[in-house]
Amino acid sequence: MTHRIVLTSLRELEAVRDLVADGGPIPVRRALVPVIGGTGAAERGALAEAARQAVSELDQLLASDGERRAEAERGAGRVREAASETESLRRTARELGEAAQRAAALAESALERSARRRAERLAATTGRLRNQAEAHAEALEREARALAGRDDIARLLAEERRRGKEVEMRGELTLAGRHLDGGRYDEARRILSSLDGRLGSEPDLREGYESLRRRERAVHLRSAEDSLREARRLHRREPARAIDLIEAVELAGLPEEVVRHLYGCWLTACRRLGLLAAIHYRAGFGRGAVLIPTADERWEVVSALGLARWERGRTLSPRALRGARPLG
C-alpha cells in the first residue's frame, strides 16, 4: 500500500522521519526522503565536506578513466596499424610467390645455362622472402588479435564500428533522399530496402528512415495508380501496352485494393490478346502468369505478375502449373 506524505517545513520532516526510514511502520525498501539529524552549522559543514569529497572522488575517477581511455585508444590505433601492415605484407607475399613461380619456370626453360642458374637463385631468394613476409604478417596478426581481445580496446573498436556504420547509413539515407528528389524512385527504394533491419535503435536514423519510407510509399502508390489509370485506358484497343505498363509496377508494398485492380486489369488485357489455348496460373494474391502451349508439350510464359524469374519466353513443365485454368 502507498502512503502519500506532504511536507512543508524541516520541523514536519523531523516529526515524520521514522515513518519514511527503513524499518518504520510503513514498509518501504528505502527512505523516501533523506533523514537529517539537524540543521546547525556543524551539520551543514559536514554536508559541505562530504560533497567536496564526493566531487573530488569523481574528478579522480574521471581522470583515471581518461588515462585508461587514452591508453586504450593507443592500443586501438596499434590494432588498426597492425591490420594495415598485415594486409601490405600479405600482398607482398603474394607478389613474391608469383615471382618465385615465374623464376622457377624460367630456370626450367631458359636457353642459356647462366640464365637458368640466375633464375634458380632468384626463385630461391623470392621464395625465402615470401616466407619471411608471411612470418611477419602472422606475427602482426597475433599481436592485433591479442590487443583487440582486451576489454577496453574491444569496447573502443566496437564503438568505432558502430559510429562507422552510422556514418555509412546516414550517407545512404542522404542518397536515397536525393534519388527521391530527382525522381529516381527505384534507386531510392533499393537503398531503403537494403537499410531495413540494419538501423538499430538510433532515434534520428530511424526517424529519417521512416520519413523517407513514407515519401517512397506515397510516390510508389501514385506511380502505381497512374499506371493503372493508363492501363485501363489502353487495355481495350492496345492490350499489349497495358500489360507492359502493369508488369513494370512493383506490387510489393501497395494496398491490397490497388493490387487487386492492377491484377484484374492485367488479366483482362491478357484475355484481349486473343491467345490460343492459353492458361491462367494463379500462385497467390497478386501473383500469376498467362502461358501458351509449346510444340514440346511445355508451357511458355506470355506475361507474369509477382513471380520472380518468370520472364517472358520461359517454358515450364505442366507439373509446375497444377491448378492452372483456361484463360477464357
Side-chain angles (χ1 to χ4, degrees):
M1 181 177 180
T2 301
H3 296 260
R4 185 175 180 181
I5 302 174
V6 179
L7 305 178
T8 59
S9 68
L10 291 175
R11 184 183 302 277
E12 292 175 352
L13 173 62
E14 179 71 14
V16 300
R17 65 179 181 179
D18 290 335
L19 295 178
V20 298
D22 286 342
I26 301 175
V28 294
R29 295 180 62 185
R30 300 185 64 180
L32 301 178
V33 296
V35 178
I36 57 177
T39 60
E43 288 80 8
R44 294 196 301 272
L47 175 61
E49 177 60 21
R52 186 194 64 77
Q53 291 179 1
V55 172
S56 176
E57 183 179 354
L58 176 60
D59 290 340
Q60 293 174 9
L61 182 60
L62 289 171
S64 175
D65 182 71
E67 293 175 359
R68 184 64 180 271
R69 179 169 289 270
E71 179 189 354
E73 287 174 350
R74 287 192 293 271
R78 180 54 189 156
V79 170
R80 292 189 293 271
E81 181 182 351
S84 176
E85 292 175 356
T86 299
E87 182 180 355
S88 178
L89 284 166
R90 298 284 191 203
R91 185 166 53 251
T92 299
R94 287 193 299 271
E95 293 172 355
L96 287 168
E98 293 171 359
Q101 290 177 357
R102 292 198 304 270
L106 182 59
E108 293 289 336
S109 62
L111 297 179
E112 296 182 1
R113 178 180 296 179
S114 60
R116 292 197 297 271
R117 289 176 179 174
R118 289 175 60 190
E120 289 173 357
R121 289 197 299 270
L122 284 172
T125 299
T126 52
R128 183 176 66 256
L129 292 174
R130 179 199 59 191
N131 293 338
Q132 291 176 1
E134 288 285 359
H136 282 299
E138 289 175 5
L140 283 172
E141 207 167 39
R142 286 194 298 271
E143 178 188 356
R145 279 200 301 268
L147 284 171
R150 279 176 40 180
D151 288 344
D152 52 351
I153 295 177
R155 288 186 62 182
L156 280 183
L157 293 173
E159 289 175 6
E160 288 179 1
R161 288 191 294 271
R162 179 179 56 79
R163 288 195 297 268
K165 288 180 180 178
E166 286 182 12
V167 170
E168 179 183 349
M169 287 187 287
R170 289 183 199 281
E172 293 185 55
L173 287 173
T174 300
L175 181 58
R178 289 174 181 169
H179 283 321
L180 287 174
D181 294 338
R184 298 179 294 276
Y185 307 122
D186 290 340
E187 291 89 341
R189 186 180 303 119
R190 176 182 54 78
I191 293 174
L192 293 173
S193 296
S194 71
L195 287 172
D196 191 22
R198 293 167 46 205
L199 292 175
S201 58
E202 290 297 326
D204 55 338
L205 285 177
R206 175 61 61 180
E207 182 179 352
Y209 170 81
E210 293 297 343
S211 175
L212 289 173
R213 266 301 192 193
R214 287 192 294 270
R215 285 182 58 192
E216 181 269 326
R217 284 193 290 266
V219 168
H220 184 199
L221 178 58
R222 284 198 302 271
S223 176
E225 290 173 339
D226 290 344
S227 295
L228 176 60
R229 210 163 19 246
E230 183 66 7
R232 282 173 168 169
R233 187 181 70 82
L234 294 171
H235 82 280
R236 295 181 184 276
R237 294 177 289 103
E238 301 179 75
R241 284 186 59 192
I243 291 169
D244 290 341
L245 280 171
I246 296 176
E247 279 186 346
V249 176
E250 174 60 56
L251 300 183
L254 291 174
E256 288 189 2
E257 182 180 3
V258 175
V259 174
R260 187 178 298 108
H261 288 310
L262 283 165
Y263 195 93
C265 185
W266 165 79
L267 191 58
T268 301
C270 287
R271 289 185 174 121
R272 290 185 175 274
L273 290 176
L275 301 171
L276 295 177
I279 61 172
H280 170 217
Y281 172 71
R282 188 157 192 168
F285 180 75
R287 299 167 60 234
V290 169
L291 308 95
I292 55 175
T294 64
D296 57 355
E297 299 184 352
R298 292 173 64 83
W299 292 93
E300 179 182 331
V301 176
V302 175
S303 180
L305 282 187
L307 296 174
R309 297 184 297 277
W310 283 49
E311 63 277 358
R312 293 181 184 181
R314 179 182 176 182
T315 62
L316 298 99
S317 68
R319 286 180 299 179
L321 301 169
R322 291 175 181 171
R325 295 288 184 270
L327 181 59

